[in-house]
Amino acid sequence: MTGAMSSAIAGLKAHMDKLNVIGNNVANVNTVGYKPGRVLFMDSIYTTMTTGSNGTTTVGGRNPSQIGYGASIGSIDLDMGTGTFTATGWGLDTMISGDGFFLVGDKTTGGNIDPADPETLKVFNLSRVGNFTFGADGYLVDGQGNAVYGFMQAQDPNPDPNNPQEYISDQLVPIRYPGVDENGDLVWPSFGADGKLQDAINTNVTPNEPYPKAPIDGVSIDGKTGKITATIKGSDQPVTIGYLAIGNVTNPAGVTHESGYYYKAEEGAGDLTITTIGNSGADVGINFVNGSLAGGNVNGENAAADAGLPINMKVGSAGTATLLSGGLEGSKTDLATEISEMITTQRGYQANTRIITVTDTMLEELVNMKR
């Protein structure tokens, strides 16, 4: 009889854990980018009273006789499907429609990662909430103040004045404004001797003389390409700042939820790869270049590799994912489903308490037996 009570206690714990998940889902019904959890139960351990047999030539077989001891949590899964678009009217608010995450992190992270190595990419926080703005230091940041990563326009070492082109680096860096020199001309990040992109804002021309930020206005993000464009204040001169990077994991439901809006590509998520929205077709293709090849190296990637410099990471496509600007992704919580699950969970909890009550009554009868 005590086995029934143990089973009921296990059921109470399992139902309480499920109610905790439901409560969290309901609490975040209006949290942008929220992905609800789903609890699945599994039956617990069994005691085998008699084993099964296959039978013989004279007697038939029999099934095993087993008694179970309650339920436990089998899994708590995340619903990583795309939520509804919630218009905000803020020009830099951006939503990913489809799979993928924005990459955010510390401003100094970019120089320590290899974009082709999934292990080094795990330092990034993954986010579905694109509440972006350019901070006072010129960096694109999210609502938590973390730098947003992507691909910057770089300084063309051999510009053709008759045929100017976008010169987009394939190195993953925090996106920021270009600088301006003492003549007021734009200064883009350039490639250093090590082939890495230098920061045009924070790298000094001479000690203690950093480039000031360019006077940028009218910043917008293109949904088809992820291109971040702006104009120079006081003119109609268009400026391409760069492109947003999109991170994709093998198993989106396997990401580890951190505090706030963030996830990590830990065990269970698979490899994290870097893609872009605008690299999915020739009509919006991005012509990436590499710092080690920027000087017109005729021997191409082999010479760069021999010199120990990074070679082109060949940025992939984000597939069918697109960006929607001017709004954010709403919570994926379905309130009707959560209320229904809450009712069935409550009834399941009540049923388990009845098992405890009935078991206690039967034990009372046993204790009160007389000759």
Side-chain angles (χ1 to χ4, degrees):
M1 261 185 274
T2 55
M5 188 171 289
S6 297
S7 297
I9 292 173
L12 291 176
K13 292 180 178 179
H15 281 79
M16 181 57 69
D17 287 338
K18 182 175 182 179
L19 190 63
N20 289 337
V21 174
I22 293 172
N24 189 51
N25 291 341
V26 173
N28 287 281
V29 68
N30 288 318
T31 301
V32 291
Y34 178 74
K35 305 301 180 185
R38 181 191 66 172
V39 177
L40 295 180
F41 292 158
M42 67 178 183
D43 46 353
S44 192
I45 59 175
Y46 283 85
T47 294
T48 300
M49 310 297 291
T50 58
T51 60
S53 66
N54 292 328
T56 66
T57 56
T58 57
V59 297
R62 66 182 181 191
N63 297 327
S65 298
Q66 296 177 293
I67 297 178
Y69 287 98
S72 61
I73 298 296
S75 65
I76 302 177
D77 306 313
L78 287 177
D79 180 0
M80 296 302 293
T82 303
T84 56
F85 178 75
T86 303
T88 63
W90 291 63
L92 288 180
D93 281 353
T94 307
M95 167 184 161
I96 300 175
S97 178
D99 292 338
F101 300 88
F102 298 113
L103 299 176
V104 298
D106 190 277
K107 289 190 293 186
T108 62
T109 299
N112 303 317
I113 63 168
D114 177 0
D117 183 358
E119 287 301 313
T120 62
L121 293 174
K122 289 182 178 180
V123 300
F124 285 114
N125 288 322
L126 309 179
S127 173
R128 292 283 298 187
V129 181
N131 54 337
F132 302 144
T133 186
F134 278 97
D137 57 358
Y139 280 83
L140 184 66
V141 296
D142 68 359
Q144 306 302 309
N146 287 305
V148 181
Y149 275 72
F151 307 98
M152 285 282 296
Q153 181 162 191
Q155 187 72 38
D156 189 343
N158 300 300
D160 182 355
N162 298 320
N163 186 28
Q165 296 184 12
E166 287 184 358
Y167 200 79
I168 306 299
S169 167
D170 71 346
Q171 296 180 27
L172 193 59
V173 294
I175 297 174
R176 65 274 196 195
Y177 284 161
V180 290
D181 60 18
E182 60 275 9
N183 298 319
D185 296 326
L186 292 180
V187 179
W188 298 101
S190 59
F191 295 102
D194 59 356
K196 292 186 177 180
L197 200 64
Q198 305 298 307
D199 189 334
I201 295 177
N202 293 334
T203 298
N204 295 337
V205 182
T206 58
N208 303 319
E209 292 184 12
Y211 287 119
K213 301 185 299 295
I216 297 295
D217 197 8
V219 184
S220 63
I221 298 176
D222 182 70
K224 292 183 179 180
T225 64
K227 178 192 287 190
I228 304 172
T229 58
T231 56
I232 302 298
K233 286 184 179 179
S235 74
D236 294 328
Q237 179 184 353
V239 175
T240 297
I241 297 175
Y243 290 79
L244 288 173
I246 302 296
N248 276 293
V249 294
T250 309
N251 175 26
V255 293
T256 301
H257 203 162
E258 301 286 307
S259 61
Y261 304 133
Y262 300 137
Y263 302 89
K264 286 283 191 181
E266 302 290 353
E267 294 293 328
D271 289 342
L272 172 61
T273 56
I274 305 303
T275 64
T276 67
I277 294 294
N279 212 33
S280 58
D283 56 333
V284 290
I286 303 171
N287 184 26
F288 285 103
V289 297
N290 182 267
S292 58
L293 308 179
N297 189 334
V298 294
N299 293 321
E301 294 183 359
N302 291 334
D306 293 340
L309 299 178
I311 61 175
N312 195 296
M313 63 175 278
K314 296 180 174 60
V315 181
S317 165
T320 58
T322 58
L323 296 179
L324 302 175
S325 58
L328 300 172
E329 181 180 10
S331 173
K332 195 67 170 56
T333 296
D334 184 337
L335 194 55
T337 298
E338 299 301 329
I339 295 298
S340 298
E341 288 291 322
M342 181 178 64
I343 293 172
T344 57
T345 301
Q346 180 186 14
R347 295 307 182 193
Y349 191 92
Q350 289 176 335
N352 279 277
T353 62
R354 296 295 184 270
I355 293 294
I356 295 176
T357 301
V358 171
T359 303
D360 177 59
T361 301
M362 295 177 69
L363 288 173
E364 182 182 13
E365 292 295 328
L366 179 62
V367 170
N368 291 333
M369 287 179 61
K370 297 181 180 179
R371 292 181 181 272

